[in-house]
mmCIF file of all heavy atoms in Angstrom:
data_model
loop_
_atom_site.group_PDB
_atom_site.id
_atom_site.type_symbol
_atom_site.label_atom_id
_atom_site.label_comp_id
_atom_site.label_asym_id
_atom_site.label_seq_id
_atom_site.Cartn_x
_atom_site.Cartn_y
_atom_site.Cartn_z
ATOM 1 N N ARG A 315 -6.479 4.578 11.557
ATOM 2 C CA ARG A 315 -5.810 3.342 11.187
ATOM 3 C C ARG A 315 -4.533 3.632 10.339
ATOM 4 O O ARG A 315 -3.543 2.910 10.460
ATOM 5 C CB ARG A 315 -6.762 2.431 10.400
ATOM 6 C CG ARG A 315 -7.811 1.780 11.266
ATOM 7 C CD ARG A 315 -8.527 0.629 10.526
ATOM 8 N NE ARG A 315 -9.209 1.087 9.341
ATOM 9 C CZ ARG A 315 -10.491 1.466 9.344
ATOM 10 N NH1 ARG A 315 -11.204 1.486 10.446
ATOM 11 N NH2 ARG A 315 -11.082 1.867 8.225
ATOM 12 N N ALA A 316 -4.621 4.621 9.488
ATOM 13 C CA ALA A 316 -3.479 4.993 8.651
ATOM 14 C C ALA A 316 -2.330 5.589 9.431
ATOM 15 O O ALA A 316 -1.170 5.467 9.050
ATOM 16 C CB ALA A 316 -3.928 5.948 7.570
ATOM 17 N N ASN A 317 -2.667 6.236 10.570
ATOM 18 C CA ASN A 317 -1.632 6.890 11.358
ATOM 19 C C ASN A 317 -2.093 7.001 12.810
ATOM 20 O O ASN A 317 -2.780 7.957 13.157
ATOM 21 C CB ASN A 317 -1.323 8.307 10.775
ATOM 22 C CG ASN A 317 -0.150 8.975 11.479
ATOM 23 O OD1 ASN A 317 0.278 8.576 12.566
ATOM 24 N ND2 ASN A 317 0.328 10.051 10.890
ATOM 25 N N GLU A 318 -1.734 6.023 13.614
ATOM 26 C CA GLU A 318 -2.211 5.979 15.001
ATOM 27 C C GLU A 318 -1.479 7.003 15.882
ATOM 28 O O GLU A 318 -1.913 7.255 17.003
ATOM 29 C CB GLU A 318 -2.028 4.579 15.550
ATOM 30 C CG GLU A 318 -2.880 3.522 14.865
ATOM 31 C CD GLU A 318 -2.816 2.161 15.520
ATOM 32 O OE1 GLU A 318 -2.053 2.014 16.505
ATOM 33 O OE2 GLU A 318 -3.519 1.241 15.061
ATOM 34 N N GLU A 319 -0.388 7.593 15.391
ATOM 35 C CA GLU A 319 0.340 8.552 16.193
ATOM 36 C C GLU A 319 -0.134 9.986 15.978
ATOM 37 O O GLU A 319 0.145 10.869 16.821
ATOM 38 C CB GLU A 319 1.844 8.470 15.831
ATOM 39 C CG GLU A 319 2.462 7.093 16.054
ATOM 40 C CD GLU A 319 2.349 6.641 17.498
ATOM 41 O OE1 GLU A 319 2.558 7.482 18.387
ATOM 42 O OE2 GLU A 319 2.034 5.464 17.738
ATOM 43 N N ALA A 320 -0.837 10.234 14.913
ATOM 44 C CA ALA A 320 -1.232 11.589 14.587
ATOM 45 C C ALA A 320 -2.341 12.097 15.516
ATOM 46 O O ALA A 320 -3.198 11.330 15.954
ATOM 47 C CB ALA A 320 -1.697 11.673 13.118
ATOM 48 N N GLN A 321 -2.291 13.393 15.781
ATOM 49 C CA GLN A 321 -3.417 14.037 16.469
ATOM 50 C C GLN A 321 -4.466 14.321 15.409
ATOM 51 O O GLN A 321 -4.208 14.963 14.373
ATOM 52 C CB GLN A 321 -2.988 15.335 17.098
ATOM 53 C CG GLN A 321 -1.944 15.149 18.199
ATOM 54 C CD GLN A 321 -1.700 16.442 18.942
ATOM 55 O OE1 GLN A 321 -2.602 17.212 19.255
ATOM 56 N NE2 GLN A 321 -0.432 16.785 19.183
ATOM 57 N N ILE A 322 -5.690 13.906 15.671
ATOM 58 C CA ILE A 322 -6.804 14.195 14.729
ATOM 59 C C ILE A 322 -7.648 15.330 15.327
ATOM 60 O O ILE A 322 -8.141 15.233 16.461
ATOM 61 C CB ILE A 322 -7.637 12.933 14.491
ATOM 62 C CG1 ILE A 322 -6.828 11.842 13.848
ATOM 63 C CG2 ILE A 322 -8.861 13.307 13.629
ATOM 64 C CD1 ILE A 322 -7.576 10.547 13.597
ATOM 65 N N VAL A 323 -7.794 16.372 14.533
ATOM 66 C CA VAL A 323 -8.595 17.558 14.952
ATOM 67 C C VAL A 323 -9.836 17.556 14.085
ATOM 68 O O VAL A 323 -9.769 17.633 12.844
ATOM 69 C CB VAL A 323 -7.800 18.834 14.766
ATOM 70 C CG1 VAL A 323 -8.615 20.032 15.216
ATOM 71 C CG2 VAL A 323 -6.459 18.767 15.472
ATOM 72 N N VAL A 324 -11.016 17.495 14.716
ATOM 73 C CA VAL A 324 -12.260 17.541 13.993
ATOM 74 C C VAL A 324 -12.909 18.891 14.155
ATOM 75 O O VAL A 324 -13.103 19.374 15.275
ATOM 76 C CB VAL A 324 -13.244 16.446 14.477
ATOM 77 C CG1 VAL A 324 -14.501 16.446 13.633
ATOM 78 C CG2 VAL A 324 -12.576 15.052 14.365
ATOM 79 N N THR A 325 -13.233 19.531 13.076
ATOM 80 C CA THR A 325 -13.900 20.802 13.066
ATOM 81 C C THR A 325 -15.112 20.754 12.147
ATOM 82 O O THR A 325 -15.460 19.705 11.593
ATOM 83 C CB THR A 325 -12.941 21.940 12.692
ATOM 84 O OG1 THR A 325 -13.581 23.209 12.924
ATOM 85 C CG2 THR A 325 -12.518 21.859 11.237
ATOM 86 N N GLY A 326 -15.774 21.876 11.932
ATOM 87 C CA GLY A 326 -16.898 21.922 11.020
ATOM 88 C C GLY A 326 -18.250 21.699 11.651
ATOM 89 O O GLY A 326 -18.411 21.764 12.888
ATOM 90 N N CYS A 327 -19.221 21.453 10.857
ATOM 91 C CA CYS A 327 -20.609 21.446 11.292
ATOM 92 C C CYS A 327 -20.925 20.284 12.249
ATOM 93 O O CYS A 327 -21.644 20.455 13.262
ATOM 94 C CB CYS A 327 -21.575 21.395 10.085
ATOM 95 S SG CYS A 327 -21.579 22.955 9.147
ATOM 96 N N ALA A 328 -20.393 19.113 11.974
ATOM 97 C CA ALA A 328 -20.648 17.987 12.899
ATOM 98 C C ALA A 328 -19.981 18.226 14.220
ATOM 99 O O ALA A 328 -20.537 17.878 15.297
ATOM 100 C CB ALA A 328 -20.119 16.677 12.305
ATOM 101 N N ALA A 329 -18.831 18.879 14.241
ATOM 102 C CA ALA A 329 -18.154 19.208 15.491
ATOM 103 C C ALA A 329 -18.969 20.198 16.293
ATOM 104 O O ALA A 329 -18.866 20.245 17.540
ATOM 105 C CB ALA A 329 -16.789 19.778 15.196
ATOM 106 N N GLN A 330 -19.780 21.006 15.629
ATOM 107 C CA GLN A 330 -20.585 22.010 16.330
ATOM 108 C C GLN A 330 -21.739 21.369 17.148
ATOM 109 O O GLN A 330 -22.010 21.818 18.253
ATOM 110 C CB GLN A 330 -21.193 22.992 15.327
ATOM 111 C CG GLN A 330 -22.010 24.125 15.902
ATOM 112 C CD GLN A 330 -21.143 25.164 16.591
ATOM 113 O OE1 GLN A 330 -19.997 25.388 16.207
ATOM 114 N NE2 GLN A 330 -21.693 25.813 17.598
ATOM 115 N N VAL A 331 -22.347 20.311 16.596
ATOM 116 C CA VAL A 331 -23.562 19.790 17.205
ATOM 117 C C VAL A 331 -23.394 18.422 17.858
ATOM 118 O O VAL A 331 -24.269 17.955 18.585
ATOM 119 C CB VAL A 331 -24.697 19.710 16.175
ATOM 120 C CG1 VAL A 331 -25.116 21.110 15.740
ATOM 121 C CG2 VAL A 331 -24.292 18.869 14.939
ATOM 122 N N MET A 332 -22.278 17.740 17.619
ATOM 123 C CA MET A 332 -22.072 16.432 18.225
ATOM 124 C C MET A 332 -20.647 16.204 18.619
ATOM 125 O O MET A 332 -20.080 15.132 18.390
ATOM 126 C CB MET A 332 -22.569 15.345 17.247
ATOM 127 C CG MET A 332 -21.999 15.454 15.837
ATOM 128 S SD MET A 332 -22.763 14.260 14.686
ATOM 129 C CE MET A 332 -22.408 12.736 15.490
ATOM 130 N N GLY A 333 -20.081 17.245 19.228
ATOM 131 C CA GLY A 333 -18.670 17.187 19.579
ATOM 132 C C GLY A 333 -18.304 16.083 20.556
ATOM 133 O O GLY A 333 -17.255 15.407 20.419
ATOM 134 N N ASP A 334 -19.167 15.824 21.533
ATOM 135 C CA ASP A 334 -18.860 14.803 22.549
ATOM 136 C C ASP A 334 -18.759 13.422 21.872
ATOM 137 O O ASP A 334 -17.850 12.623 22.198
ATOM 138 C CB ASP A 334 -19.938 14.773 23.636
ATOM 139 C CG ASP A 334 -19.857 15.998 24.549
ATOM 140 O OD1 ASP A 334 -18.796 16.686 24.519
ATOM 141 O OD2 ASP A 334 -20.819 16.276 25.248
ATOM 142 N N GLU A 335 -19.667 13.121 20.959
ATOM 143 C CA GLU A 335 -19.647 11.824 20.278
ATOM 144 C C GLU A 335 -18.366 11.707 19.426
ATOM 145 O O GLU A 335 -17.699 10.634 19.416
ATOM 146 C CB GLU A 335 -20.879 11.662 19.416
ATOM 147 C CG GLU A 335 -20.896 10.367 18.616
ATOM 148 C CD GLU A 335 -22.079 10.254 17.705
ATOM 149 O OE1 GLU A 335 -23.101 10.953 17.892
ATOM 150 O OE2 GLU A 335 -22.009 9.418 16.766
ATOM 151 N N LEU A 336 -18.017 12.777 18.723
ATOM 152 C CA LEU A 336 -16.836 12.684 17.873
ATOM 153 C C LEU A 336 -15.556 12.621 18.685
ATOM 154 O O LEU A 336 -14.577 11.991 18.272
ATOM 155 C CB LEU A 336 -16.832 13.898 16.914
ATOM 156 C CG LEU A 336 -17.971 13.992 15.911
ATOM 157 C CD1 LEU A 336 -17.887 15.265 15.089
ATOM 158 C CD2 LEU A 336 -18.001 12.774 14.996
ATOM 159 N N LYS A 337 -15.539 13.248 19.845
ATOM 160 C CA LYS A 337 -14.365 13.242 20.697
ATOM 161 C C LYS A 337 -14.013 11.823 21.156
ATOM 162 O O LYS A 337 -12.854 11.508 21.423
ATOM 163 C CB LYS A 337 -14.571 14.155 21.912
ATOM 164 C CG LYS A 337 -13.382 14.257 22.851
ATOM 165 C CD LYS A 337 -12.207 14.953 22.204
ATOM 166 C CE LYS A 337 -11.009 15.074 23.135
ATOM 167 N NZ LYS A 337 -11.271 15.983 24.274
ATOM 168 N N ALA A 338 -15.041 10.958 21.197
ATOM 169 C CA ALA A 338 -14.844 9.599 21.655
ATOM 170 C C ALA A 338 -14.241 8.693 20.591
ATOM 171 O O ALA A 338 -13.844 7.549 20.870
ATOM 172 C CB ALA A 338 -16.150 9.002 22.164
ATOM 173 N N LEU A 339 -14.145 9.182 19.335
ATOM 174 C CA LEU A 339 -13.616 8.361 18.251
ATOM 175 C C LEU A 339 -12.121 8.180 18.429
ATOM 176 O O LEU A 339 -11.420 9.056 18.960
ATOM 177 C CB LEU A 339 -13.932 9.008 16.905
ATOM 178 C CG LEU A 339 -15.419 9.043 16.502
ATOM 179 C CD1 LEU A 339 -15.566 9.799 15.201
ATOM 180 C CD2 LEU A 339 -15.958 7.583 16.320
ATOM 181 N N PRO A 340 -11.554 7.086 17.976
ATOM 182 C CA PRO A 340 -10.149 6.803 18.142
ATOM 183 C C PRO A 340 -9.273 7.858 17.438
ATOM 184 O O PRO A 340 -9.528 8.211 16.289
ATOM 185 C CB PRO A 340 -9.930 5.424 17.521
ATOM 186 C CG PRO A 340 -11.109 5.255 16.596
ATOM 187 C CD PRO A 340 -12.233 5.977 17.251
ATOM 188 N N GLY A 341 -8.280 8.362 18.159
ATOM 189 C CA GLY A 341 -7.317 9.282 17.590
ATOM 190 C C GLY A 341 -7.698 10.717 17.706
ATOM 191 O O GLY A 341 -6.865 11.619 17.448
ATOM 192 N N VAL A 342 -8.945 11.006 18.024
ATOM 193 C CA VAL A 342 -9.390 12.419 18.070
ATOM 194 C C VAL A 342 -8.870 13.075 19.356
ATOM 195 O O VAL A 342 -9.165 12.612 20.462
ATOM 196 C CB VAL A 342 -10.944 12.533 18.015
ATOM 197 C CG1 VAL A 342 -11.388 13.974 18.208
ATOM 198 C CG2 VAL A 342 -11.423 12.018 16.654
ATOM 199 N N THR A 343 -8.095 14.128 19.215
ATOM 200 C CA THR A 343 -7.524 14.804 20.348
ATOM 201 C C THR A 343 -8.121 16.161 20.583
ATOM 202 O O THR A 343 -7.956 16.769 21.637
ATOM 203 C CB THR A 343 -6.019 14.981 20.196
ATOM 204 O OG1 THR A 343 -5.734 15.756 18.991
ATOM 205 C CG2 THR A 343 -5.305 13.647 20.069
ATOM 206 N N ARG A 344 -8.823 16.707 19.543
ATOM 207 C CA ARG A 344 -9.386 18.048 19.709
ATOM 208 C C ARG A 344 -10.660 18.175 18.870
ATOM 209 O O ARG A 344 -10.679 17.736 17.719
ATOM 210 C CB ARG A 344 -8.342 19.097 19.268
ATOM 211 C CG ARG A 344 -8.706 20.514 19.669
ATOM 212 C CD ARG A 344 -8.588 20.668 21.199
ATOM 213 N NE ARG A 344 -8.870 22.046 21.605
ATOM 214 C CZ ARG A 344 -7.953 22.913 21.999
ATOM 215 N NH1 ARG A 344 -6.681 22.579 21.974
ATOM 216 N NH2 ARG A 344 -8.302 24.118 22.387
ATOM 217 N N ILE A 345 -11.680 18.741 19.473
ATOM 218 C CA ILE A 345 -12.894 19.107 18.741
ATOM 219 C C ILE A 345 -12.955 20.651 18.668
ATOM 220 O O ILE A 345 -12.882 21.305 19.704
ATOM 221 C CB ILE A 345 -14.150 18.579 19.433
ATOM 222 C CG1 ILE A 345 -14.143 17.065 19.455
ATOM 223 C CG2 ILE A 345 -15.423 19.110 18.739
ATOM 224 C CD1 ILE A 345 -14.282 16.395 18.101
ATOM 225 N N VAL A 346 -13.009 21.196 17.484
ATOM 226 C CA VAL A 346 -13.105 22.639 17.304
ATOM 227 C C VAL A 346 -14.418 22.905 16.605
ATOM 228 O O VAL A 346 -14.563 22.636 15.403
ATOM 229 C CB VAL A 346 -11.925 23.209 16.490
ATOM 230 C CG1 VAL A 346 -12.063 24.692 16.312
ATOM 231 C CG2 VAL A 346 -10.588 22.823 17.148
ATOM 232 N N PRO A 347 -15.441 23.434 17.309
ATOM 233 C CA PRO A 347 -16.746 23.681 16.727
ATOM 234 C C PRO A 347 -16.655 24.623 15.514
ATOM 235 O O PRO A 347 -15.697 25.403 15.374
ATOM 236 C CB PRO A 347 -17.539 24.304 17.866
ATOM 237 C CG PRO A 347 -16.865 23.856 19.097
ATOM 238 C CD PRO A 347 -15.404 23.805 18.763
ATOM 239 N N GLN A 348 -17.637 24.566 14.680
ATOM 240 C CA GLN A 348 -17.680 25.435 13.494
ATOM 241 C C GLN A 348 -17.529 26.908 13.860
ATOM 242 O O GLN A 348 -16.814 27.643 13.211
ATOM 243 C CB GLN A 348 -19.017 25.217 12.715
ATOM 244 C CG GLN A 348 -19.180 26.149 11.556
ATOM 245 C CD GLN A 348 -18.161 25.991 10.490
ATOM 246 O OE1 GLN A 348 -17.691 24.871 10.224
ATOM 247 N NE2 GLN A 348 -17.757 27.071 9.874
ATOM 248 N N ASP A 349 -18.164 27.341 14.958
ATOM 249 C CA ASP A 349 -18.123 28.738 15.279
ATOM 250 C C ASP A 349 -16.761 29.163 15.862
ATOM 251 O O ASP A 349 -16.535 30.357 16.125
ATOM 252 C CB ASP A 349 -19.246 29.149 16.265
ATOM 253 C CG ASP A 349 -19.191 28.423 17.564
ATOM 254 O OD1 ASP A 349 -18.144 27.806 17.927
ATOM 255 O OD2 ASP A 349 -20.196 28.495 18.342
ATOM 256 N N ALA A 350 -15.853 28.213 16.048
ATOM 257 C CA ALA A 350 -14.492 28.538 16.495
ATOM 258 C C ALA A 350 -13.479 28.110 15.457
ATOM 259 O O ALA A 350 -12.259 28.077 15.777
ATOM 260 C CB ALA A 350 -14.208 27.885 17.819
ATOM 261 N N LYS A 351 -13.889 27.782 14.249
ATOM 262 C CA LYS A 351 -12.955 27.244 13.248
ATOM 263 C C LYS A 351 -11.802 28.215 12.948
ATOM 264 O O LYS A 351 -10.677 27.771 12.695
ATOM 265 C CB LYS A 351 -13.739 26.918 11.970
ATOM 266 C CG LYS A 351 -12.899 26.167 10.957
ATOM 267 C CD LYS A 351 -13.679 25.919 9.642
ATOM 268 C CE LYS A 351 -14.671 24.776 9.786
ATOM 269 N NZ LYS A 351 -15.385 24.482 8.506
ATOM 270 N N THR A 352 -12.055 29.504 12.958
ATOM 271 C CA THR A 352 -10.963 30.441 12.613
ATOM 272 C C THR A 352 -9.841 30.381 13.641
ATOM 273 O O THR A 352 -8.707 30.747 13.317
ATOM 274 C CB THR A 352 -11.493 31.895 12.560
ATOM 275 O OG1 THR A 352 -12.135 32.230 13.787
ATOM 276 C CG2 THR A 352 -12.487 32.055 11.418
ATOM 277 N N SER A 353 -10.109 29.910 14.867
ATOM 278 C CA SER A 353 -9.053 29.757 15.865
ATOM 279 C C SER A 353 -8.001 28.785 15.470
ATOM 280 O O SER A 353 -6.859 28.809 15.964
ATOM 281 C CB SER A 353 -9.632 29.399 17.226
ATOM 282 O OG SER A 353 -10.103 28.051 17.217
ATOM 283 N N LEU A 354 -8.317 27.903 14.524
ATOM 284 C CA LEU A 354 -7.356 26.908 14.067
ATOM 285 C C LEU A 354 -6.164 27.535 13.339
ATOM 286 O O LEU A 354 -5.128 26.909 13.158
ATOM 287 C CB LEU A 354 -8.027 25.874 13.156
ATOM 288 C CG LEU A 354 -8.798 24.783 13.885
ATOM 289 C CD1 LEU A 354 -9.716 24.039 12.920
ATOM 290 C CD2 LEU A 354 -7.850 23.822 14.547
ATOM 291 N N LYS A 355 -6.300 28.762 12.950
ATOM 292 C CA LYS A 355 -5.201 29.446 12.264
ATOM 293 C C LYS A 355 -3.973 29.577 13.195
ATOM 294 O O LYS A 355 -2.863 29.666 12.723
ATOM 295 C CB LYS A 355 -5.646 30.837 11.792
ATOM 296 C CG LYS A 355 -6.665 30.798 10.673
ATOM 297 C CD LYS A 355 -6.935 32.159 10.009
ATOM 298 C CE LYS A 355 -7.587 33.113 10.960
ATOM 299 N NZ LYS A 355 -7.917 34.389 10.263
ATOM 300 N N THR A 356 -4.217 29.511 14.500
ATOM 301 C CA THR A 356 -3.117 29.627 15.470
ATOM 302 C C THR A 356 -2.662 28.232 16.004
ATOM 303 O O THR A 356 -1.900 28.203 16.956
ATOM 304 C CB THR A 356 -3.511 30.497 16.667
ATOM 305 O OG1 THR A 356 -4.599 29.899 17.370
ATOM 306 C CG2 THR A 356 -3.923 31.895 16.178
ATOM 307 N N TRP A 357 -3.144 27.167 15.411
ATOM 308 C CA TRP A 357 -2.800 25.815 15.874
ATOM 309 C C TRP A 357 -1.247 25.738 16.024
ATOM 310 O O TRP A 357 -0.513 26.244 15.188
ATOM 311 C CB TRP A 357 -3.296 24.792 14.848
ATOM 312 C CG TRP A 357 -2.862 23.404 15.173
ATOM 313 C CD1 TRP A 357 -1.752 22.753 14.637
ATOM 314 C CD2 TRP A 357 -3.457 22.465 16.039
ATOM 315 N NE1 TRP A 357 -1.647 21.502 15.156
ATOM 316 C CE2 TRP A 357 -2.688 21.303 16.034
ATOM 317 C CE3 TRP A 357 -4.578 22.538 16.894
ATOM 318 C CZ2 TRP A 357 -2.997 20.217 16.805
ATOM 319 C CZ3 TRP A 357 -4.871 21.424 17.660
ATOM 320 C CH2 TRP A 357 -4.092 20.302 17.601
ATOM 321 N N PRO A 358 -0.735 25.048 17.090
ATOM 322 C CA PRO A 358 -1.498 24.284 18.106
ATOM 323 C C PRO A 358 -1.942 25.095 19.319
ATOM 324 O O PRO A 358 -2.538 24.562 20.233
ATOM 325 C CB PRO A 358 -0.472 23.251 18.529
ATOM 326 C CG PRO A 358 0.803 23.935 18.403
ATOM 327 C CD PRO A 358 0.666 24.859 17.206
ATOM 328 N N GLU A 359 -1.607 26.417 19.338
ATOM 329 C CA GLU A 359 -2.024 27.212 20.456
ATOM 330 C C GLU A 359 -3.484 27.650 20.217
ATOM 331 O O GLU A 359 -3.746 28.600 19.453
ATOM 332 C CB GLU A 359 -1.151 28.470 20.637
ATOM 333 C CG GLU A 359 0.272 28.136 21.124
ATOM 334 C CD GLU A 359 1.152 27.668 19.995
ATOM 335 O OE1 GLU A 359 0.826 27.933 18.826
ATOM 336 O OE2 GLU A 359 2.164 26.985 20.265
ATOM 337 N N LEU A 360 -4.432 26.993 20.882
ATOM 338 C CA LEU A 360 -5.827 27.344 20.752
ATOM 339 C C LEU A 360 -6.388 27.724 22.118
ATOM 340 O O LEU A 360 -6.122 27.056 23.109
ATOM 341 C CB LEU A 360 -6.646 26.163 20.226
ATOM 342 C CG LEU A 360 -6.302 25.653 18.826
ATOM 343 C CD1 LEU A 360 -7.222 24.508 18.488
ATOM 344 C CD2 LEU A 360 -6.375 26.749 17.824
#
């Protein structure tokens, strides 16, 4: 709601076990599971 243009990237523990549900939330463009969190260091090339 604060920024409808921004890409929202969800990572962490919830992203590991319920990524599909979180991907359906408004504004979410990428789910990065906890076990791949270090790959975010190269954002946006993942």
Side-chain angles (χ1 to χ4, degrees):
R315 287 194 297 270
N317 185 346
E318 294 185 358
E319 302 300 319
Q321 297 187 44
I322 297 178
V323 182
V324 182
T325 189
C327 290
Q330 183 73 29
V331 293
M332 50 187 303
D334 290 344
E335 178 183 341
L336 296 177
K337 182 65 180 293
L339 292 175
V342 174
T343 60
R344 194 68 179 255
I345 298 293
V346 179
Q348 175 62 36
D349 62 13
K351 188 183 282 183
T352 56
S353 70
L354 281 166
K355 293 191 292 185
T356 64
W357 174 265
E359 291 80 20
L360 298 182

